[in-house]
Structures are given as C-alpha cells and as structure tokens.
C-alpha cells in the first residue's frame, strides 16, 4: 500500500490492463449538463469516465465523446470507459442486451470495463425505489450471480468489454464467485473515502488481486439529501491548508495513496479541474495516520434494496453480508 505518495497515474489490473487512477463520475449528472462535464473533463486531461446503463445519460455522454473524437481532442484508444450492467438484465442472456444498449448509447465498439452494478436481480424494466414485486426471486443470489458472471465472461471473450468486474460486492460474495469464476473480477467498485475505508474488504480483495475502485470518494452522494460532511470535516480542512489544497483534493489524494482509483462526480468545470489535481502532492505518513482515526460510517447503505417482504435482503446487513 502506498502511503508515501508513490501512487502512479494508472493502476495495473489483474489482467495487465492499465486503468487511469482518476475517473469522472456521471451518476446524477443531469441531462443537459453531463455532456458538458465530460467535454470539460476530457479537454482538461481526464482519460477515464465512469458510466452506467441506470444513470440514463449514456447517450449524452456518447454524443460528447463523439464530438471529442471528431475534433481530434482524444482517440478512443486513449480513453478508459466503464459501464455497468443493470439489475434487471441479470441471467445467462440479458447481459448481452444491456451491453448492446450501452454501446449504442455511448456510440462505442467496446468498453474498457463492464461491471455487475449490484448483487440484486430485478424483474425487467425496474430501477428503484424498491417495491416487493420488482424482485426476481426465482433464483438465489448465488445462482443469479453465477449465471450473470458466466455471461460477463463471454462478453470479455467477445472483446466487447476488455475487462470485467463487479460493484457493491462483499468479500463473502466475491469468495462465492471464486468457486466457479474462470475470470477473476478485475475490479470491485465500492464506496470508499476516509470515513469508509473498507479495511476488511480491501484485505480480501488483495488476496485475489482485485482492484478497489472508489465510488463516492468525496463522501457525498445525492438523492436522499443526506450527506456525510466529510468535505466540511475540520481534519480535512486542516490537512488541506498545510498543502494549499481543498478538502476534496485531500480526500481524493487519500484514496490514491490507499491504492484506489477514485471516481469523483462533478458537473462544475472548476471542480472537475480541481478533482484531477491530486497527483502533484503527497500526504505524509503522519497525515495518513491522522485520517485513519476518523469514525467509520457506510453512507450508501443500499437500503433501497432492502425489504422484509419481497427482497432477498431483509436488512442492510444481509446485502453487505454483515461486513459493516
Ligand atoms: P462524490 O463523492 O463524487 O461526490 C459528488 C458530490 O460532490 C456532488 O454533489 C458534487 O457536486 C460534489 N463535488 C464534486 N467535486 C467537489 C469539490 N471539488 N468540492 C466540493 N464538492 C464537490 O459522489 P458520488 O456518489 O456521485 O460518486 C461518484 C461516482 O461514483 C458517481 O458519479 C458514479 O459514477 C459512481 N458511483 C457508483 C456507485 C455504484 O453503485 N457502483 C454508487 C455511487 C456512485 P457538483 O456536481 O455540483 O460539483
Ligand atoms: C443505486 C445507486 C447507483 C449508483 O451507481
């Protein structure tokens, strides 16, 4: 683990592919502004964009990318584009259809990384908030993940996704996958920031060389209106002042020094720029230790998948297999 700032601008995944460490998040980047954010990000030096079918904005992201390609700002092969299989497309066949929709919207021939978004199978056409009839309870989570992962492996074989992985998987669910996976997931994308370090999961993932890609790396996410006030935390402000950096940059730099890739979302050009400027300074071991003392709280608890009548998951602890 690099705590001395020796983080590079790319992560080498377990299949040898090189993924840029900082990616632009696009969840809740509204239609009408997400294209401009992607445009500003790529012109400003980002080479990694994190997308998903269920963000319902991939067409606008695709339009922005096409413009950048046409203007010669960047070539396809110099970008890393991630997308995610939505929950209502699990199973042996459906993942191919979800991928085709994503590729059509993004206007790309292939993805760099394709992830199973959640270990939650839903009936066709559903997103959230949860209602009991949305759940596909005809299969167990274990069977569902196996069938879906085997389809993901075929997708990787086809070349339409160069790397495959998962998101929101506990160590227990990853361990279950090891019984049948021919391809070990390259990435598990999960919440991670100084107030949710994921120590146990990180330790397990290290044993299989699965990379931790950090979502909500600023400790913030939106729709519930509730936030962890990580960016207002006096410790981040104090550390930031030492380096002439913002709390957001301290949080992102912490993630990079932990060995994570980080996926900050912003639709504000100034913040998009600020969030990329995390490779030209290092937090000292002392500062990393101070940050380690922060109280730990999972913020995105996934309670939208929890229901005591219809869901596989009766309590949030079931979704995360009691891992915090
Ligand atoms: P982030 O931690 O990236 O925080 C985003 C929020 O912080 C927005 O409100 C943004 O507002 C604000 N912000 C961004 N930069 C700054 C800054 N420099 N200073 C102050 N505020 C700032 O949270 P997200 O939950 O959006 O996670 C990031 C990305 O991770 C998502 O967009 C998505 O791509 C991915 N993700 C994946 C999940 C999964 O299940 N796999 C779950 C959640 C996220 P503004 O836009 O106004 O600047
Ligand atoms: C349900 C939240 C998904 C963000 O990736």
């Amino acid at each position: 683990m690099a705590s001395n700032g020796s983080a590079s601008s790319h992560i080498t995944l377990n299949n040898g592919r090189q993924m840029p460490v900082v990616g632009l998040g696009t969840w809740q980047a509204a239609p009408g502004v997400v294209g401009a954010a992607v445009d500003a990000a790529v012109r400003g030096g980002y080479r990694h964009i994190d997308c998903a079918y269920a963000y319902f904005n991939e067409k606008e992201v695709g339009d922005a990318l096409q413009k950048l390609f046409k203007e010669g700002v960047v070539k396809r092969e110099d970008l890393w584009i991630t997308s995610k299989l939505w929950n209502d497309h699990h199973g042996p066949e459906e993942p191919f259809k979800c991928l085709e929709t994503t590729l059509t919207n993004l206007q790309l021939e292939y993805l760099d990384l394709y992830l199973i978004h959640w270990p939650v199978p839903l009936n066709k056409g559903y997103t959230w908030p949860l209602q009991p009839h949305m759940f596909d309870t005809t299969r167990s989570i274990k069977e569902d993940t196996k069938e879906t992962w085997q389809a993901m492996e075929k997708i990787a074989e086809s070349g339409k996704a160069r790397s495959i992985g998962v998101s929101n998987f506990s160590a227990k669910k990853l361990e279950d996958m090891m019984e049948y996976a021919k391809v070990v997931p390259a990435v598990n994308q999960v919440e991670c920031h100084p107030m949710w370090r994921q120590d146990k999961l990180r330790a397990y993932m290290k044993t299989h060389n699965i990379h931790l890609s950090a979502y909500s790396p600023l400790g913030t996410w939106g729709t519930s209106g509730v936030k962890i006030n990580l960016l207002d935390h006096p410790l981040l402000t104090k550390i930031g002042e030492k380096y002439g950096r913002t709390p957001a940059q301290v949080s992102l730099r912490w993630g990079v020094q932990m060995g994570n890739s980080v996926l900050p979302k912003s639709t504000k050009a100034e913040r998009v720029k600020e969030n990329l400027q995390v490779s030209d300074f290092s937090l000292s071991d002392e500062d990393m230790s101070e940050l380690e003392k922060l109280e730990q709280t999972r913020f995105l608890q996934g309670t939208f998948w929890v229901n005591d009548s219809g869901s596989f998951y009766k309590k949030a602890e079931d979704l995360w297999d009691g891992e915090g």
Side-chain angles (χ1 to χ4, degrees), residues 37-148:
V38 168
D39 186 84
V42 173
R43 287 180 201 274
Y46 282 71
R47 292 296 177 263
H48 176 173
I49 315 287
D50 183 68
C51 311
Y53 172 93
Y55 298 166
F56 301 114
N57 58 12
E58 287 189 322
K59 170 76 170 63
E60 188 172 331
V61 172
D63 290 345
L65 294 176
Q66 287 307 311
K67 184 163 177 274
L68 290 159
F69 297 151
K70 283 196 187 105
E71 290 180 18
V73 176
V74 72
K75 294 190 189 124
R76 169 66 187 98
E77 57 269 31
D78 296 328
L79 286 183
W80 181 280
I81 309 292
T82 298
S83 186
K84 310 182 195 93
L85 171 73
W86 187 237
N87 303 5
D88 71 340
H89 282 76
H90 285 199
E93 301 300 334
E94 290 295 312
F96 298 92
K97 297 181 195 161
C98 194
L99 175 69
E100 280 312 320
T101 304
T102 278
L103 288 174
T104 302
N105 283 333
L106 291 173
Q107 303 155 62
L108 299 176
E109 297 293 316
Y110 68 91
L111 294 175
D112 296 279
L113 177 63
Y114 199 40
L115 306 174
I116 299 180
H117 204 148
W118 288 89
V120 179
L122 291 184
N123 289 318
K124 203 68 192 292
Y126 292 118
T127 51
W128 69 82
L130 168 74
Q131 290 172 39
H133 67 276
M134 293 179 178
F135 280 88
D136 176 2
T137 46
T138 56
R139 290 165 297 167
S140 69
I141 294 290
K142 234 175 140 172
E143 286 163 336
D144 175 77
T145 305
K146 182 175 177 180
E147 281 179 356
T148 306

Side-chain angles (χ1 to χ4, degrees), residues 27-28 50 52 54-55 84 86-87 117-118 128 167-168 189 215 221 223 300 304-305:
W27 182 37
Q28 302 181 108
D50 183 68
Y55 298 166
K84 310 182 195 93
W86 187 237
N87 303 5
H117 204 148
W118 288 89
W128 69 82
S167 175
N168 296 300
Q189 188 186 111
Y215 75 60
W221 75 288
T223 46
L300 206 168
F304 33 72
W305 306 133

Side-chain angles (χ1 to χ4, degrees), residues 27 50 167-168 189 216 218 220 263 265-266 268 271 275:
W27 182 37
D50 183 68
S167 175
N168 296 300
Q189 188 186 111
S216 305
L218 304 172
T220 54
L263 307 168
K265 171 261 172 185
S266 181
K268 299 193 167 63
R271 287 177 174 178
N275 294 343

